[in-house]
Each structure stands twice: as C-alpha cells, then as structure tokens.
Amino acid sequence: MPEQPLPQPRREYTAGELHAHEVDPDDPLAEVRRWVGDAVDAGITEPTAATLATVDAAGVPDARVVLLRGIDDRGVRWFSSRTSEKGRQLADRPVAAVVMFWPQLERQIRLRGRVEHLPDAESDAYFASRPRPSQVAAWASDQSAVVASRASLDAAADAADRRFADVAEVPRPPYWGGELLRPDTVELWQGRRARLHDRLRWTRLVDGWRLERLQP
Ligand SMILES: Cc1cc2nc3c(=O)[nH]c(=O)nc-3n(C[C@H](O)[C@H](O)[C@H](O)COP(=O)(O)O)c2cc1C
C-alpha cells in the first residue's frame, strides 16, 4: 500500500508564556495542580489523562494512558490493577514517567520519579467512591491477561454481578489499588512562537528544589 503522507502542520504556538517569576520555585506540584486546573477550566476532554511510562524487568519501556485522580504535596496518583502489565513492571522497577499534553493550551507536563503503593486506607476510600459497575468490573477483569472473546469477558462481568448482588458495599480487590509517583523532576512546557518554547524544570534536592530554564 502506498504511504499516505501525514499532514504537515506548521502551527505557531501563541496561547501563553511561562516565566520563572510566575511560578513557585519551591512547589512544583502546586504548579502541576494549577495547570491541571486550567485544563479543567478550559473544558478539555479528560483533562487529567496522563501517559504513564514504565519499564519492564529487561529495561524495555512501555506506556499507556491513565487518569490522574489526585495531586498533592507527595506527588500524583492513579488507580489500577497491580497484577496488570504495568503493575508487574512497577513491582519489578518502581519508577515511572508521567506526561500530560493539552493541545488547546499548548502545554505539556513531565514528571519522573519513584512509585509506591498508596496506603490501603486511601485505596479503600477511593474504591468506595467509585460507581458500583466500576467496582464490579475491577473484580471481573484480570487486567492485561488474554481473554478468549468479548463474550467471555461479559460472562465474567455477569458472574461478578451475581457474586456481589446481595453485598451492600463491594470490597476492593486485593490486587487493585492506588499508585503514587513522587517526582524527582517536574517540567512545565509552554509552546511559543518559532519553536522557541518555554521550559521550566524543577529538580529535587536534599532540602528543596532547583528551578532551571531549559532550551527548547
Ligand atoms: C483516557 C484513558 C484513561 C484510562 N485510565 C486508566 C486508569 O485510570 N487506570 C487503568 O488501569 N487504566 C486506564 N486506562 C487503560 C490503560 O491505558 C491500559 O489499557 C490498561 O491500564 C492496561 O495497561 P497495561 O497492560 O500496561 O497494564 C485508560 C485508558 C484511556 C485511553
């Protein structure tokens, strides 16, 4: 099949600017929170969607999208199966990178650091807040395992439905929970004219953060 040429956009990025004097040099996670808030306010679809990159035991990278469910002084968190591909990778190598991109705002965020399980109480509280069908689905799906057919997945979901039919509160599966990325580096990227983009990167030090501007 002949190759279809890709469109070659030459878009100029003019939506905003990013200056060191406008950010808190000591609190990159506050800046991440602010930008996610801006994405929410801008009405962007799935404003908390983030690409989560991990590495497997052989050092081969992998990546997929998850929804961030919280950002606090510790870092950013999401929820998933711990027996999934990503769960096994994180068990082997508890490090990750997270990337978010909001085209309408011409902004990108990158975080890198170590990952740990959220405390059980936090995973329990979040699981309890989920809609019941999502709770049941967490029991029905062995995330990342091969499934013979759509019909067998639906049958597993029906079986989980029946199993919990008389249960008021669906419990959190033992293999499902929250993960917390504690960033060692945080980068905010704002597109600028003529590819001279603004990049500010925070690097964690023993007693705080170093803030630097990077070349585009
Ligand atoms: C918009 C979007 C949001 C998603 N959110 C999550 C999530 O919060 N948690 C999750 O486990 N998977 C989520 N997924 C599915 C993952 O991308 C992925 O398919 C799944 O986690 C299995 O990945 P793995 O095989 O690498 O473990 C989401 C996918 C998309 C496209």
Side-chain angles (χ1 to χ4, degrees):
M1 197 174 75
E3 182 183 338
Q4 289 284 337
L6 291 176
Q8 304 287 330
R10 292 276 179 261
R11 178 192 294 278
E12 283 289 353
Y13 296 143
T14 56
E17 300 181 1
L18 178 61
H19 299 287
H21 64 83
E22 295 167 345
V23 300
D24 186 339
D26 302 318
D27 197 351
L29 286 158
E31 301 303 326
V32 172
R33 252 193 325 266
R34 186 164 67 81
W35 273 27
V36 172
D38 289 347
V40 172
D41 293 346
I44 288 171
T45 305
E46 300 293 23
T48 70
T51 299
L52 166 69
T54 50
V55 279
D56 69 14
V60 180
D62 202 352
R64 79 291 290 156
V65 173
V66 297
L67 296 181
L68 297 190
R69 296 299 187 181
I71 304 163
D72 63 19
D73 294 344
R74 299 170 299 176
V76 301
R77 55 189 190 271
W78 64 90
F79 293 85
S80 187
S81 162
R82 291 172 177 161
T83 48
S84 65
E85 202 66 49
K86 80 181 88 49
R88 284 192 294 269
Q89 291 166 355
L90 286 169
D92 280 330
R93 297 195 174 202
V95 291
V98 160
V99 183
M100 307 177 88
F101 171 48
W102 300 285
Q104 295 90 329
L105 299 176
E106 301 170 357
R107 283 175 171 178
Q108 170 182 240
I109 283 183
R110 301 166 64 178
L111 305 102
R112 302 173 77 200
R114 294 188 68 79
V115 178
E116 61 193 59
H117 292 339
L118 274 184
D120 283 346
E122 289 184 51
S123 291
D124 288 341
Y126 176 72
F127 190 80
S129 77
R130 300 181 91 205
R132 193 179 174 96
S134 306
Q135 295 175 330
V136 172
W139 283 97
S141 167
D142 180 6
Q143 192 179 54
S144 312
V146 172
V147 63
S149 64
R150 177 75 216 189
S152 55
L153 177 63
D154 291 340
D158 289 344
D161 252 340
R162 285 193 299 277
R163 175 176 171 192
F164 294 107
D166 299 325
V167 177
E169 299 268 318
V170 178
R172 175 171 64 92
Y175 51 80
W176 191 99
E179 310 297 338
L180 173 69
L181 169 76
R182 292 183 184 268
D184 290 318
T185 59
V186 176
E187 182 194 320
L188 268 53
W189 181 102
Q190 177 78 59
R192 294 291 305 275
R193 210 179 287 280
R195 299 296 185 262
L196 294 174
H197 313 302
D198 287 329
R199 302 177 65 189
L200 294 181
R201 183 186 61 195
W202 287 254
T203 303
R204 188 188 291 278
L205 307 175
V206 178
D207 56 352
W209 294 90
R210 181 175 67 231
L211 175 61
E212 295 163 306
R213 175 174 285 271
L214 301 182
Q215 304 210 23

